[in-house]
Amino acid sequence: MSMRSLIILVSASLLVGAAPAKKPLTPNDIVAGSPASAWRTIDPDDLLVMDLANGGRVVIQLAPGFAPVHVANVKALAKGNYWDGATVYRLQDNYVAQWGLNESDRPWPAGVTAKPPAEYVRPLKGLQVKPLGFADPYAPGTGFSAGWPIAYSSKQGWANLAHCYGSVGVGRDLSPDTGTGGELYAVIGQAPRQLDRNIALIGRVIDGIDRLSSLPRGTEALGFYKDKAQYAPIARIRLASDMPHAELPAFEYMDTSGAVFASYVRLRANRKDAFYDRPAGGVDLCNVQVPVRKKG
Amino acid sequence: MSMRSLIILVSASLLVGAAPAKKPLTPNDIVAGSPASAWRTIDPDDLLVMDLANGGRVVIQLAPGFAPVHVANVKALAKGNYWDGATVYRLQDNYVAQWGLNESDRPWPAGVTAKPPAEYVRPLKGLQVKPLGFADPYAPGTGFSAGWPIAYSSKQGWANLAHCYGSVGVGRDLSPDTGTGGELYAVIGQAPRQLDRNIALIGRVIDGIDRLSSLPRGTEALGFYKDKAQYAPIARIRLASDMPHAELPAFEYMDTSGAVFASYVRLRANRKDAFYDRPAGGVDLCNVQVPVRKKG
């Protein structure tokens, strides 16, 4: 095999087998070699499962600890079949995919708070954040709490979920509207951290983000599709806990407070394996990518 | 129109008209209201034009000031029709699209340096970098030079092009191979800044990145397509300066050393327009997105 036939660009997020002895470990070696005790199961009541009509499933982990009223709305919307006939109607490159009913006056199902409070930040207290320890242009501190990427201020006592690739938030009108939860977006580009503390995040895509990110981009302003024929129809959106037991999707995330995750972060910030000559000595919060995987 | 019919998530990168008086300006107001003197034309000899066989054009601005031998190679490859029959053969979500001949032993055309030096950094001296002025986890300093996002160390005297969304680099094998230029990749996700100073960047996509980012993701390791039938064929790759005069694409970028760009950056870091309540007070290098547009 010639040199040129092997030309690759090794990804930091690929799962590879454990490296042979003496070779520097990669972050993925850490994931592959981690014990079961390094992982935490995600409650199926916090999994939102979106099936696209043309095939493909998008699984979203909800974050009730950060936007409880918005997350309760999303759960009530799922249980109330609010999204029947919903579509992905907006694809803006390097920004977001957005779905829901768009221009609709369908009434809210029971249990939905039409005008939730602005759950953009929460108290830092109680989060037990593991600091990342590297500079960030958007917040005094960053780190991880129970698997989530967090920005915070120890001095002012606030914390927020960070807008990273795959983050899911609640579309809204201009401030002070906060959105109800019927229109959701997922980040499909460079982390738009300027949205932190300005909009409610309700979770993140943990499986199937490529089903959204590979959709054609909309050509209208803000990436809306020009014709409704371009909309990607959604077959259904359910909570995993409402699915038949045999179909129940199960996921786990790496415990971000443990030593295994600390090793993973250290290697993300200091790549020394065969592809890399110059470790950065740092890593961006949104480039750490907390490991999440299917269980079993 | 009901509130819900207007649910939007305003993009920082949308071009909108000049705002009415008294409303806080957006970064795009700055772009829309900028004088012609705030822009610099891109030399057509530094534009690489890739036409996909299924329609769609991807335009790449080359950066000869950062990787001169690799850029000279890319120009010689284009002139030598090296990429006849090339394809996009790798799509890894939140990472890269990669194209070229993949497994081929086609000889290099005249003028190609088969083993270029490792042009991963260059001297800071001579770049006249305009510092961004916000913290960065990957380098002591960041800023802009002639329209390019730069990471640098004043103390050690080096500078490099930063890996941002749209950056184009040279695929290579494991270190110390540097790649020749026949296999190229474009970043289609969160800025993989860990690649900075470890691989040669030769430019950035300035038009048509959505033609790459919306391609289906490959399901094999590293995002390679499983079947060759999935490859996206490339009709041709040319330098703009080799195209018929009537077809010549013309682009310009905002002068990053000027006052207009400084205003743009200030607003990117401090959104105060109607959608935003809490300005971040900072912005990531790769989230600034230097304005580039078609000319005329």
Side-chain angles (χ1 to χ4, degrees):
Chain A
M1 196 182 286
S2 76
M3 279 289 281
R4 282 161 60 199
S5 72
L6 256 178
I7 285 171
I8 55 171
L9 174 66
V10 179
S11 162
S13 61
L14 178 80
L15 285 173
V16 295
K22 293 183 185 174
K23 283 195 181 175
L25 291 175
T26 68
N28 294 312
D29 293 334
I30 299 294
V31 174
S34 61
S37 61
W39 298 82
R40 297 289 175 269
T41 302
I42 299 175
D43 184 339
D45 201 41
D46 288 336
L47 290 179
L48 190 70
V49 180
M50 174 163 77
D51 291 319
L52 298 177
N54 64 357
R57 174 170 285 182
V58 180
V59 181
I60 294 162
Q61 179 186 9
L62 300 172
F66 291 88
V69 181
H70 285 86
V71 168
N73 273 5
V74 166
K75 291 183 179 184
L77 291 164
K79 284 178 185 294
N81 302 310
Y82 177 80
W83 286 298
D84 282 0
T87 60
V88 185
Y89 53 80
R90 177 188 180 196
L91 248 297
Q92 185 169 355
D93 195 69
N94 192 19
Y95 200 46
V96 295
Q98 188 168 324
W99 64 92
L101 296 179
N102 200 5
E103 303 197 12
S104 161
D105 291 315
R106 181 173 298 174
W108 302 116
V112 169
T113 303
K115 293 188 182 302
E119 300 172 313
Y120 305 158
V121 292
R122 57 150 285 163
L124 175 60
K125 199 175 174 182
L127 277 187
Q128 298 177 300
V129 176
K130 187 86 175 173
L132 174 59
F134 300 116
D136 184 85
Y138 294 96
T142 62
F144 299 89
S145 175
W148 298 100
I150 306 288
Y152 64 92
S153 166
S154 300
K155 197 174 170 185
Q156 300 178 351
W158 53 257
N160 66 270
L161 275 185
H163 271 82
C164 295
Y165 193 91
S167 292
V168 176
V170 175
R172 64 164 171 86
D173 205 334
L174 299 181
S175 177
D177 175 56
T178 70
T180 302
E183 313 304 309
L184 298 175
Y185 65 87
V187 172
I188 56 156
Q190 177 69 22
R193 296 277 311 281
Q194 72 278 6
L195 294 172
D196 283 8
R197 302 189 289 286
N198 283 283
I199 200 161
L201 284 180
I202 54 108
R204 63 177 163 198
V205 176
I206 56 170
D207 196 40
I209 183 76
D210 58 302
R211 297 297 177 153
L212 296 172
S213 60
S214 63
L215 289 172
R217 274 47 180 164
T219 55
E220 296 300 282
L222 298 163
F224 284 86
Y225 289 123
K226 186 169 186 175
D227 301 313
K228 291 192 175 179
Q230 297 173 295
Y231 291 5
I234 293 167
R236 53 186 176 180
I237 302 180
R238 297 176 285 180
L239 286 174
S241 50
D242 289 333
M243 292 169 67
H245 188 74
E247 297 176 25
L248 204 68
F251 288 86
E252 57 188 0
Y253 64 90
M254 186 176 278
D255 173 16
T256 48
S257 67
V260 176
F261 183 73
S263 295
Y264 174 83
V265 171
R266 194 166 53 246
L267 288 181
R268 294 294 300 216
N270 295 284
R271 297 297 300 262
K272 293 175 196 168
D273 45 283
F275 192 79
Y276 291 86
D277 275 331
R278 306 187 200 202
V283 61
D284 184 77
L285 175 68
C286 288
N287 220 355
V288 170
Q289 298 169 343
V290 175
V292 180
R293 65 185 184 188
K294 277 185 181 151
K295 214 184 155 178
Chain B
M1 198 181 284
S2 76
M3 279 289 281
R4 282 160 59 198
S5 70
L6 257 177
I7 286 171
I8 54 172
L9 176 66
V10 178
S11 162
S13 62
L14 178 79
L15 283 173
V16 295
K22 292 182 184 172
K23 284 195 181 174
L25 291 174
T26 68
N28 294 311
D29 293 334
I30 299 294
V31 174
S34 62
S37 60
W39 298 82
R40 297 288 175 269
T41 302
I42 299 174
D43 184 339
D45 200 42
D46 288 336
L47 290 178
L48 189 71
V49 180
M50 174 163 76
D51 291 319
L52 298 176
N54 64 357
R57 173 169 285 182
V58 179
V59 181
I60 294 161
Q61 179 186 7
L62 299 172
F66 291 87
V69 180
H70 286 85
V71 168
N73 272 5
V74 166
K75 291 184 179 184
L77 291 165
K79 285 179 183 294
N81 302 310
Y82 176 79
W83 286 299
D84 282 0
T87 61
V88 185
Y89 53 80
R90 177 188 180 197
L91 247 297
Q92 185 169 356
D93 196 68
N94 192 19
Y95 200 48
V96 296
Q98 188 168 324
W99 64 91
L101 297 179
N102 200 7
E103 303 196 13
S104 160
D105 290 315
R106 182 174 296 174
W108 301 118
V112 169
T113 303
K115 295 189 182 299
E119 300 172 313
Y120 306 157
V121 292
R122 55 150 286 163
L124 175 62
K125 199 175 175 182
L127 276 188
Q128 297 178 303
V129 176
K130 187 86 173 175
L132 175 58
F134 300 115
D136 184 85
Y138 295 96
T142 63
F144 298 89
S145 176
W148 298 100
I150 306 289
Y152 63 91
S153 166
S154 299
K155 197 174 170 185
Q156 299 178 351
W158 53 257
N160 66 270
L161 275 187
H163 271 81
C164 295
Y165 193 92
S167 291
V168 176
V170 175
R172 65 164 170 86
D173 205 333
L174 299 182
S175 181
D177 174 54
T178 69
T180 303
E183 313 304 308
L184 299 174
Y185 65 88
V187 172
I188 57 157
Q190 178 68 23
R193 297 277 309 282
Q194 72 277 6
L195 294 172
D196 285 7
R197 301 190 289 286
N198 281 284
I199 199 162
L201 284 180
I202 54 106
R204 63 178 163 197
V205 175
I206 57 169
D207 196 40
I209 182 78
D210 59 301
R211 299 296 178 155
L212 296 172
S213 59
S214 65
L215 289 171
R217 275 45 181 166
T219 54
E220 296 299 283
L222 298 165
F224 285 86
Y225 289 123
K226 185 169 186 173
D227 300 312
K228 291 193 174 179
Q230 297 172 296
Y231 291 4
I234 294 167
R236 53 186 176 179
I237 301 179
R238 299 176 284 179
L239 286 174
S241 51
D242 288 333
M243 292 168 67
H245 188 73
E247 297 175 26
L248 204 68
F251 288 86
E252 57 188 0
Y253 64 90
M254 187 176 277
D255 173 17
T256 48
S257 67
V260 176
F261 183 73
S263 297
Y264 173 83
V265 171
R266 193 165 55 245
L267 288 181
R268 294 293 302 217
N270 297 282
R271 296 298 299 263
K272 293 175 197 167
D273 46 282
F275 192 78
Y276 291 86
D277 276 331
R278 307 187 199 202
V283 62
D284 184 78
L285 176 68
C286 288
N287 219 354
V288 170
Q289 297 168 344
V290 175
V292 180
R293 65 185 184 188
K294 277 185 180 152
K295 213 182 155 179

